[in-house]
Amino acid sequence: MLINIAVALGVAFLGGLAFRRMGLPTIVGYLLAGVAIGPFTPGFVGDPHTINQLAELGVVFLMFGVGLHFSFRHLWQVRDIAIVGALGQMATTAVLGYLLSQWWGWPPFSGVVLGLAISVASTIVLLRGLMDNGLLNTSHGQVAVGWLVMEDVATVLVLLILPTLAHTENGFDWRELGFTMLAAVGFLIFMVFVGARLIPWLLMRVAHTRSRELFILANLTMALGIALGSAELFGASLALGAFMAGAVISESPLSHQIAADLLPFREAFSVLFFVSIGMLLDPHYLLDNIGPVLALTGFVVFVKPTVTALWAFLFPRPARTALIVAAGTSQIGEFSFILGQAGLALGLLERDQYSLILAGALLSIVVNPLMFRMVGLAERGLQSISPLWKLLDRYGQRLTSIDASLAGHIVIVGCGRVGRHIAEVAEYLGLPYLVVESDAERAHVLDQRGVRTLLGDAANSEILAHAALDRARLLVVTLPEEAASELTVAAGRDLAPNLPIIARAVTREGVQRLAELGAQHVIHPELEGGLQLVRHALLQLGFSMEDVRRYAESVRRDHYAALANSGEEQRLLRESLDRADLIQVAWLRLPPDSPWTGRAWEETGLSTRTGAALATILRDGQLLANPEAGTVLHAGDYLELIGNSEQLAAAQRLITTIAEP
């Protein structure tokens, strides 16, 4: 037994490593590892019974992981397209797959299993593709993930109903189906109303024991116990039980820790699951039936994404969203294997038919990275047919008419958590600004507030050409994906060679790439936040401000070296960092009853008494930059003062006092 497991894991490691080096999903390597030690190839032959027993744990942990990461909130955010679109695409693809099977002369129920198996895509492969192409955190990626989550939920229900199809020798038994559904509903009700309260409470009590071993053991017991209990007590499938166990535990505040603790178990047993699948693949059968193999692969790679895109085009989303979802679903994976295995165990599929599904999955996963790269090509091809593109992208890029007189404005690309702060400051200071946003719902909210907004993907469209960059004062790129930020910075630099650009970097390498593409200022929020924590920690420990400043300056200089590639620039950067550490800015409001009202700034003597300098006055929405010494202060003025913390504190005490100076 041990030698079988060791060989299976070892061969899977080599296969996964090889395909990872080639930039392809590791699942392909695991499947081919199973083929290598399977009964249809020469050499070592693994024991299918032993590996299959452990592979069942792989199914349980896979489904538990899906449930653990399942989020009704995320699905609800894209409900307008993900729920109806995914179900419609699955139904359409299943029918077309069934028709293909009938053309091959398959039995009807075998055709049903084939149609269902090729109607669902691999969430693992989709996530890998979105991450590799910088799309995971975009609105397009969110829709694609929601679409696949809905497919996963639907597949769990299909697995519940599938055994009913195996007992239809005397006609379809609606009574059995009814009992099956009632048992499943009973299990769901029990989990929602009892499990959702009991399980998190129990896990919290175990966590308070401060024993990591007991906590991990409790999680394993929950995952396996609920899966087995759903099958034994309610007659539901192991898959449904494991999924619901994960979904219930996901509501616990300990869900992230649980996911981290169970990840090694899930990965190890999932690998054995994929290896066991590969052991069922007969290469000789595939070579003898190369026509059906290529036909099924072509169906999955071309027909299925076409169906997906047609369904996605029906909903109020940009055309690019439909193309990305289509590319993400142009493959089949783990759920197809689970459905196929269920059909094989129930006698609905023959082994050769299952091998055909496995071959289609293998080839479609290999081709999937290429499908993501073809999104841009497909988009340009459709754009060349103007009437068709206008129809498909009718909910896409919406160009707010930009007033020809708009100038000196700030262009903010991405109005998420970071971009929203910049927009709020610009609005507070009365500075004109324009937002470029790819999220349709967020853009709609901005429109309702009267904010000038362009809806579109700045990284993959001509949207920046409509942002009047040649008349803008500043371009700020706050996108969370570095690949998108790099494309946006490059496009902005081409459109406005002299425009100052500030960009957000996610990694240290991204700082250098963004600087090379033309961003004068690159901010790494994670670094800056970490330095602030270090600064406060060192000050609390008694280190001097000068020591803390030198440390922060050294770290920043090394990190932002790409922005200062000459000796003079290094000096200027160092001086600016010195000032950034020692000099602070504060906005202080002049109270209506302040004794300073009606006096010139120089009369107050604040600069000489505190050392703080006056940089700007905000009065009735108008900015008075670099005010002269004779500028008279008005009640309600906002004064921007510059100095160190002690100087600003002294100025605040003097400005807010009521006593005559």
Side-chain angles (χ1 to χ4, degrees):
M1 178 177 179
L2 288 177
I3 190 172
N4 280 279
I5 298 174
V7 171
L9 290 175
V11 177
F13 167 73
L14 294 175
L17 180 62
F19 277 84
R20 183 62 180 163
R21 288 290 182 87
M22 291 187 288
L24 295 172
T26 54
I27 293 178
V28 180
Y30 304 151
L31 292 171
L32 291 181
V35 175
I37 64 172
F40 306 105
T41 53
F44 179 85
V45 177
D47 180 10
H49 178 71
T50 299
I51 296 177
N52 283 336
Q53 282 186 319
L54 295 174
E56 288 185 8
L57 292 175
V59 175
V60 170
F61 283 117
L62 269 175
M63 296 302 299
F64 181 78
V66 171
L68 197 59
H69 292 93
F70 175 75
S71 171
F72 282 106
R73 180 173 58 85
H74 291 159
L75 181 59
W76 189 251
Q77 288 175 346
V78 293
R79 63 191 180 281
D80 61 324
I81 179 173
I83 296 178
V84 177
L87 294 178
Q89 173 260 312
M90 286 184 66
T92 306
T93 305
V95 170
L96 293 176
Y98 174 81
L99 294 177
L100 179 64
S101 73
Q102 298 309 291
W103 183 49
W104 288 334
W106 286 23
F109 287 138
S110 298
V112 170
V113 175
L114 173 68
L116 292 172
I118 63 178
S119 70
V120 293
S122 167
T123 307
I124 298 173
V125 176
L126 171 78
L127 292 175
R128 183 77 260 169
L130 292 175
M131 286 188 289
D132 289 345
N133 291 274
L135 296 168
L136 183 58
N137 292 326
T138 65
S139 59
H140 316 300
Q142 291 170 0
V143 170
V145 172
W147 191 290
L148 265 292
V149 167
M150 192 61 230
E151 285 190 0
D152 293 347
V153 174
T155 306
V156 172
L157 297 178
V158 169
L159 287 169
L160 182 67
I161 300 172
L162 202 59
T164 307
L165 299 178
H167 307 98
T168 55
E169 295 84 358
N170 300 320
F172 193 83
D173 192 341
W174 291 100
R175 179 177 296 179
E176 182 180 352
L177 177 61
F179 282 127
T180 300
M181 295 301 295
L182 283 175
V185 170
F187 172 67
L188 294 176
I189 292 174
F190 175 81
M191 290 298 295
V192 169
F193 290 99
V194 179
R197 292 170 174 80
L198 178 62
I199 294 174
W201 175 85
L202 181 59
L203 289 176
M204 189 63 73
R205 300 284 77 74
V206 175
H208 285 161
T209 65
R210 300 180 182 179
S211 170
R212 185 176 178 83
E213 294 83 0
L214 286 176
F215 187 69
I216 295 176
L217 185 60
N219 291 323
L220 289 171
T221 304
M222 292 288 181
L224 298 174
I226 294 175
L228 291 172
S230 67
E232 296 297 328
L233 300 178
F234 294 91
S237 64
L238 289 174
L240 178 62
F243 174 81
M244 283 304 301
V248 167
I249 293 176
S250 70
E251 300 301 320
S252 166
L254 300 171
S255 59
H256 294 292
Q257 183 62 45
I258 295 169
D261 287 339
L262 294 189
L263 181 63
F265 297 96
R266 192 189 74 180
E267 296 298 329
F269 287 110
S270 297
V271 166
L272 290 176
F273 167 69
F274 291 124
V275 171
S276 71
I277 296 298
M279 293 178 68
L280 299 175
L281 186 62
D282 185 356
H284 303 291
Y285 168 79
L286 300 182
L287 292 175
D288 294 339
N289 296 272
I290 191 66
V293 169
L294 294 179
L296 184 62
T297 303
F299 182 94
V300 172
V301 172
F302 297 110
V303 176
K304 182 184 174 187
T306 301
V307 171
T308 301
L310 291 175
W311 272 99
F313 282 137
L314 298 177
F315 298 90
R317 296 280 172 162
R320 183 173 177 79
T321 299
L323 296 176
I324 289 174
V325 175
T329 57
S330 62
Q331 40 80 18
I332 56 177
E334 62 272 9
F335 272 105
S336 304
F337 304 149
I338 294 173
L339 281 168
Q341 265 200 338
L344 195 64
L346 293 169
L348 299 175
L349 276 184
E350 297 178 0
R351 187 175 295 274
D352 289 346
Q353 294 169 338
Y354 188 40
S355 294
L356 185 60
I357 295 175
L358 296 182
L362 192 68
L363 294 177
S364 66
I365 291 173
V366 171
V367 174
N368 192 245
L370 180 62
M371 299 300 292
F372 273 103
R373 298 189 183 102
M374 291 180 64
V375 168
L377 181 63
E379 189 174 28
R380 289 190 292 272
L382 291 172
Q383 287 173 346
S384 65
I385 310 174
S386 184
L388 177 60
W389 180 253
K390 287 182 179 179
L391 174 64
L392 298 178
D393 200 40
R394 61 194 182 279
Y395 300 112
Q397 179 173 304
R398 183 177 67 255
L399 300 180
T400 303
S401 64
I402 302 301
D403 189 349
S405 64
L406 178 64
H409 57 291
I410 302 172
V411 178
I412 304 171
V413 179
C415 202
R417 289 177 298 177
V418 178
R420 186 168 61 249
H421 293 310
I422 299 172
E424 289 173 353
V425 170
E427 193 167 331
Y428 173 76
L429 297 177
L431 299 174
Y433 68 97
L434 171 71
V435 173
V436 179
E437 178 56 62
S438 61
D439 187 284
E441 292 183 10
R442 195 178 293 158
H444 177 70
V445 172
L446 292 170
D447 270 347
Q448 294 296 312
R449 289 174 45 202
V451 176
R452 291 187 181 92
T453 308
L454 296 179
L455 175 60
D457 187 351
N460 295 286
S461 72
E462 298 298 321
I463 193 72
L464 282 181
H466 302 275
L469 291 183
D470 56 330
R471 305 194 301 271
R473 185 176 180 181
L474 179 67
L475 171 62
V476 183
V477 181
T478 70
L479 301 173
E481 294 290 343
E482 264 181 1
S485 295
E486 291 166 13
L487 292 171
T488 303
V489 168
R493 179 55 63 228
D494 291 340
L495 292 169
N498 299 318
L499 179 66
I501 299 177
I502 300 175
R504 169 190 180 186
V506 179
T507 64
R508 182 168 185 169
E509 295 76 15
V511 173
Q512 181 173 356
R513 288 195 298 267
L514 289 167
E516 292 172 349
L517 289 169
Q520 287 95 333
H521 306 282
V522 182
I523 307 300
H524 189 180
E526 191 170 307
L527 169 73
E528 298 298 337
L531 284 178
Q532 284 300 312
L533 289 173
V534 170
R535 175 178 179 273
H536 289 290
L538 294 179
L539 290 175
Q540 284 290 325
L541 292 172
F543 286 83
S544 68
M545 175 68 78
E546 180 62 21
D547 290 338
V548 175
R549 181 199 64 77
R550 279 199 300 267
Y551 172 76
E553 184 268 339
S554 175
V555 173
R556 283 201 183 97
R557 183 176 60 246
D558 293 341
H559 200 85
Y560 294 122
L563 296 174
N565 50 22
S566 69
E568 177 64 16
E569 288 174 333
Q570 285 278 10
R571 184 184 65 79
L572 293 174
L573 174 63
R574 184 162 54 252
E575 290 179 358
S576 67
L577 291 174
D578 289 344
R579 292 193 297 272
D581 276 333
L582 297 175
I583 297 177
Q584 301 179 22
V585 176
W587 284 90
L588 302 177
R589 183 175 182 272
L590 199 65
D593 52 356
S594 172
W596 308 109
T597 300
R599 298 194 177 190
W601 170 253
E602 62 181 356
E603 293 179 16
T604 66
L606 279 169
S607 293
T608 57
R609 297 170 65 179
T610 67
L614 178 63
T616 309
I617 297 177
L618 177 63
R619 178 180 298 163
D620 298 328
Q622 299 295 320
L623 282 177
L624 305 178
N626 299 318
E628 297 179 356
T631 302
V632 176
L633 302 181
H634 293 184
D637 281 352
Y638 285 90
L639 309 180
E640 182 190 26
L641 301 180
I642 298 177
N644 60 35
S645 57
E646 293 80 8
Q647 292 169 340
L648 294 177
Q652 184 175 21
R653 286 194 298 269
L654 288 174
I655 286 178
T656 56
T657 185
I658 301 300
E660 187 72 24

